[in-house]
């Protein structure tokens, strides 16, 4: 790998990642908590924060949900070094509007902003608002045209475009290019349309947590495709449980699995609102009894002693993963443990 290992955290946009019934973890998605969490992550040496986008809490709409883009703008102003990555669902924003927002946050952050394109899985988020929610592959076709426009607009080009979904005439955005050609584009999703779109439009492809052999196969498949923006880089989502010994870590994993069982009703409701074509949920459903966390969670295998976790991170890095986007629970305490015990063993 030519790129150094980087570590990021998932912002607590809807509270807990492993279980909503953990007495040691506040089920808190407030701005105050997220501000403190990200500022501490930066101080501890983490390199990035991913702010997932949901208009309502995807697990229980009676619970709080942080808004991704306004929060990212505020975080950009408060931080100094950490990369701010805001997720975006193309069906919620016109590309001209979103590109302008991205450029403004990029300017606030002085070149530290990125967007993470996700083509959505939660039907209810769209349908209850009266917004279209096309079939899976049609969403990716829409997303491809959408991100193509956003890319050009973020570069400051004067754009005229007539496509299947958008008509844009003589549009140019400023300020642009103050710190680099444009903000970084991340892309999530593992379906065939997602892999194609990653090679054609993205700088970094996010992979959901899963075993090393599966991750290596995914990277090999996408790496064979011509990459429009230069060599594609790769990120991995993972939930970390690190302890002095493997036995202690597995004991904590079992505790969290037991707590997660109490979320069965919430998970079933979420699954009922999920696009059946979503690769992420097909994979996580198959392994639901064996992992905790979202987006694959502990399926990536970062559960064990400090040296075990560090060794597995190094193996993923050799396979091509540059950025590890991490989840913890209880988040603040386990993030500190990781920074103290695992980061030095890796770096």
């Amino acid at each position: 790998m030519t790129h150094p290992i980087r570590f990021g955290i998932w912002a607590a946009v809807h509270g807990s990642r492993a279980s909503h019934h953990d007495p040691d973890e506040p089920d808190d998605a407030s701005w105050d908590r997220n501000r403190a969490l990200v500022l501490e992550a930066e101080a501890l040496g983490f390199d990035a924060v991913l702010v997932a986008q949901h208009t309502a809490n995807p697990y229980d709409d009676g619970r709080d949900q942080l808004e991704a883009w306004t929060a990212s703008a505020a975080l950009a102003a408060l931080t100094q070094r950490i990369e701010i990555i805001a997720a975006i669902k193309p069906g919620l924003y016109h590309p001209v509007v979103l590109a302008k927002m991205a450029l403004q946050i990029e300017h606030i952050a002085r070149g530290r902003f990125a967007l993470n394109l996700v083509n959505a899985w939660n039907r209810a988020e769209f349908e209850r608002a009266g917004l279209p929610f096309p079939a899976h592959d049609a969403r990716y076709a829409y997303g491809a045209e959408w991100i193509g426009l956003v890319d050009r607009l973020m570069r400051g080009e004067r754009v005229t475009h007539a496509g299947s979904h958008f008509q844009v005439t003589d549009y140019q955005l400023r300020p642009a290019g103050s710190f680099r050609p444009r903000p970084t584009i991340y892309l999530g999703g593992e379906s065939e349309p997602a892999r194609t779109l990653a090679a054609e439009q993205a700088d970094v492809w996010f992979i959901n947590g899963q075993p090393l052999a599966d991750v290596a196969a995914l990277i090999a498949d996408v790496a064979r495709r011509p990459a429009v923006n230069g060599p594609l880089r790769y990120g991995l989502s993972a939930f970390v449980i690190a302890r002095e010994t493997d036995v202690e870590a597995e004991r904590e994993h079992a505790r969290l699995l037991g707590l997660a069982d109490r979320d069965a009703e919430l998970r079933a409701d979420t699954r009922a609102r999920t696009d059946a074509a979503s690769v992420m949920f097909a994979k996580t459903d198959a392994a639901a009894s064996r992992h905790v966390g979202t987006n694959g969670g502990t399926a990536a295998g970062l559960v064990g002693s400090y040296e075990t976790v560090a060794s597995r991170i190094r193996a993923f890095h050799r396979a091509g993963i540059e950025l590890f986007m991490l989840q913890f629970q209880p988040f603040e305490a386990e993030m500190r443990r990781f920074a103290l015990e695992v980061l030095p063993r890796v770096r």
Side-chain angles (χ1 to χ4, degrees), residues 198-221:
E200 292 178 350
Q201 299 280 7
D203 302 304
V204 186
W205 184 38
F206 265 140
I207 300 170
N208 289 309
Q210 52 202 289
L212 175 61
D214 295 345
V215 169
L218 287 169
I219 291 174
D221 176 74

Side-chain angles (χ1 to χ4, degrees), residues 47-325:
D47 304 290
V49 56
L50 176 58
V51 188
Q53 184 191 48
H54 303 283
T55 49
N57 190 303
Y59 304 105
D60 177 0
D61 61 12
R63 299 171 186 259
D64 287 351
Q65 174 67 45
L66 190 75
E67 200 289 305
W69 281 67
T70 51
S72 292
L75 290 170
L78 291 170
T79 53
Q80 299 297 319
R81 181 189 55 81
I82 199 166
E83 182 183 29
I84 310 295
I85 309 170
I88 182 64
K89 298 169 184 173
L92 296 178
Y93 289 94
H94 190 281
V96 168
V97 175
L98 194 284
K100 179 60 180 174
M101 292 168 62
L103 285 174
Q104 188 63 66
I105 302 176
E106 169 82 345
H107 207 70
I108 295 168
R110 304 185 66 80
R112 293 181 291 117
F113 183 64
L115 59 89
N116 177 35
L117 181 68
V118 291
N119 279 285
W121 52 263
N122 185 356
R123 294 194 317 272
E125 182 176 22
F126 288 77
E127 292 175 350
R128 291 177 183 176
L131 296 170
F133 189 75
H136 180 275
D137 289 4
R139 293 201 305 279
Y140 273 92
Y142 181 96
E145 184 177 345
W146 187 95
I147 193 61
L149 271 170
V150 169
D151 186 324
R152 295 176 63 197
L153 289 161
M154 290 194 305
R155 292 179 188 274
E157 295 181 19
R158 186 172 295 278
V159 174
T160 294
H161 171 88
S164 300
H165 304 286
F166 302 106
Q167 309 293 316
V168 177
T169 304
D170 195 30
Y171 228 107
Q172 186 178 50
L173 299 177
R174 288 292 186 272
S178 301
F179 304 97
R180 51 184 174 164
R182 60 153 170 75
T184 304
I185 296 174
Y186 289 76
L187 186 132
E190 295 168 22
S191 65
E192 179 58 32
R195 300 181 198 195
T196 299
L197 188 56
E200 292 178 350
Q201 299 280 7
D203 302 304
V204 186
W205 184 38
F206 265 140
I207 300 170
N208 289 309
Q210 52 202 289
L212 175 61
D214 295 345
V215 169
L218 287 169
I219 291 174
D221 176 74
V222 174
R224 286 192 292 265
R225 307 171 190 229
V228 173
N229 294 317
L232 195 64
R233 308 196 311 272
Y234 303 93
L236 181 73
S237 177
F239 191 106
V240 176
I241 303 174
R243 292 292 187 275
E244 289 282 353
T245 67
D246 291 338
V247 171
E248 289 176 283
E250 291 296 345
R251 186 181 302 128
E252 175 62 9
H253 193 195
R255 183 187 79 88
L256 290 173
L257 283 168
L259 289 170
D261 286 343
R262 299 173 62 184
D263 293 334
E265 186 176 343
L266 285 176
R267 288 201 307 272
D269 182 59
T270 300
R271 193 67 184 88
R273 294 182 277 104
T274 299
D275 179 9
S278 168
V279 171
M280 176 182 73
F281 280 89
K283 286 186 176 182
T284 55
D285 279 0
S289 63
R290 302 191 58 80
H291 82 270
V292 294
T294 65
N295 297 79
T298 52
L302 299 190
V303 177
S305 70
Y306 303 136
E307 186 50 48
T308 293
V309 171
S311 176
R312 290 174 181 170
I313 287 171
R314 289 192 290 266
F316 277 116
H317 185 240
R318 289 192 296 270
I321 296 298
E322 170 203 351
L323 175 61
F324 293 82
M325 193 59 64

